[in-house]
Amino acid sequence: MSAESVKAESTEFTNPNLEVLYSEQQIRERIREIGDQITTDHRGRELVLVGVLKGSCVFLADLMRAIDLEMTIDFMAVSSYKDGTVSTGDVEILKDLSNSIRGKDVVVVEDIVDTGLTLSRLLEILGSRGARSIKLASFLDKPEPRIKKELKIDYTGFVVPNKFLVGYGLDAAGRYRNLPFIAVVRDPSAA
Ligand code: IMP
Ligand code: MG
């Protein structure tokens, strides 16, 4: 097949610049396990899942349907201040929670924890609001660039290598969030 015809036939889901790391099937099985774990840990509690926009939206949508409890959801949007490409750890709240978390058991839902700077600041902010407990569920854990070593991830989908990943909510300049799998971008300059 010529390069031209490969290009003509490739779609966003079959983009040759993407190498699948976790398939839809693998993700589905793992989410079911995490959902069971969260269900067991929060029986009889007032559970609220807090999604961190935008990256967590796909994980949150699947995860909540794997939790067999009475529960609610809420969202926050934060922007991390970056000094060039390096996160400084300061976060600005762009959208705050709609409801109080006082007395509730909160599970913060993230797409990926990298340096951990954004999440540890966010947990600090939420920590002053009187929740009964605050836990962290991150679909991916990329431990190698971690700066906040003390950050505890209570529920993790997969521990991943220090590569730039897209799909299942994760983006590169806004693109690829809709991929139903997690992929490595082979050539970031062509992404
Ligand atoms: P950090 O833990 O403060 O460094 O920031 C984590 C955030 O960086 C995540 O919520 C993502 O938005 C973004 N991020 C980190 N690694 C990746 C990646 O491999 N692909 C896409 N976004 C990433
Ligand atoms: Mg994010």
Side-chain angles (χ1 to χ4, degrees), residues 43-59:
R43 232 177 265 288
R45 306 282 177 211
E46 272 190 87
L47 174 64
V48 51
L49 296 189
V50 171
V52 185
L53 294 171
K54 303 173 185 163
S56 71
C57 69
V58 181
F59 177 41

Side-chain angles (χ1 to χ4, degrees), residues 23-33 62 168:
S23 68
E24 239 181 306
Q25 173 72 21
Q26 284 172 299
I27 292 173
R28 198 175 311 121
E29 284 166 15
R30 189 68 191 109
I31 300 274
R32 191 181 299 273
E33 291 170 356
D62 283 346
Y168 202 70

Side-chain angles (χ1 to χ4, degrees), residues 87 110-118 142 163-165 170-171:
S87 178
E110 249 292 28
D111 51 357
I112 184 166
V113 179
D114 185 347
T115 63
L117 288 165
T118 310
K142 196 195 272 185
K163 290 183 177 171
F164 196 76
L165 306 173
L170 286 102
D171 71 307

